[in-house]
Amino acid sequence: YKFGWQDGLCQEQADIYYKHEANALMGLIPTLQSFAKERGFADALTFFAKCYDYYRDENGRNVLILKNLKTEGFDLVTDVLCYKDYHAKAFLISLAEYHALSYA
């Protein structure tokens, strides 16, 4: 689960942010992945976690239900200083794929 901000001052912005993130993860990204696969680039955009659902819970929190990537060996990096050069390179390659497909 990924929960949104609880500060009332930011709630409106959080609602917009989470709706956009959910729309991208459940609509745009799968569409771009299909587009890439049809053109022979099956490995493109594989860095996004699958989003199963988005909703506001009974306490008004925004909730995204994402695939648990820890089962595939991924882990969260909580400290920017823990990033290595290969992390940055992988991120930049993935970002380049995303931008290239969005222009294709």
Side-chain angles (χ1 to χ4, degrees):
Y1 295 98
K2 182 177 179 181
F3 293 104
W5 295 280
Q6 299 310 305
D7 182 350
L9 196 60
C10 295
Q11 190 62 53
E12 185 177 333
Q13 292 90 344
D15 290 346
I16 293 168
Y17 168 80
Y18 277 86
K19 284 179 188 172
H20 284 294
E21 185 173 4
N23 286 336
L25 291 173
M26 294 190 311
L28 175 64
I29 299 305
T31 300
L32 289 174
Q33 288 169 331
S34 293
F35 178 82
K37 188 175 182 179
E38 289 171 5
R39 283 151 183 80
F41 299 101
D43 292 336
L45 298 180
T46 57
F47 56 92
F48 286 100
K50 181 172 175 58
C51 182
Y52 296 105
D53 199 7
Y54 159 77
Y55 62 91
R56 299 239 358 234
D57 70 9
E58 63 277 357
N59 296 314
R61 295 180 295 190
N62 291 288
V63 179
L64 289 172
I65 300 177
L66 304 171
K67 180 179 180 177
N68 181 2
L69 294 179
K70 284 190 169 204
T71 61
E72 296 179 25
F74 291 93
D75 203 359
L76 293 174
V77 176
T78 57
D79 186 353
V80 175
L81 298 176
C82 292
Y83 285 106
K84 306 292 183 205
D85 287 344
Y86 59 88
H87 292 120
K89 183 178 179 180
F91 169 77
L92 291 173
I93 289 170
S94 297
L95 185 62
E97 288 175 354
Y98 171 74
H99 283 285
L101 282 170
S102 65
Y103 285 108

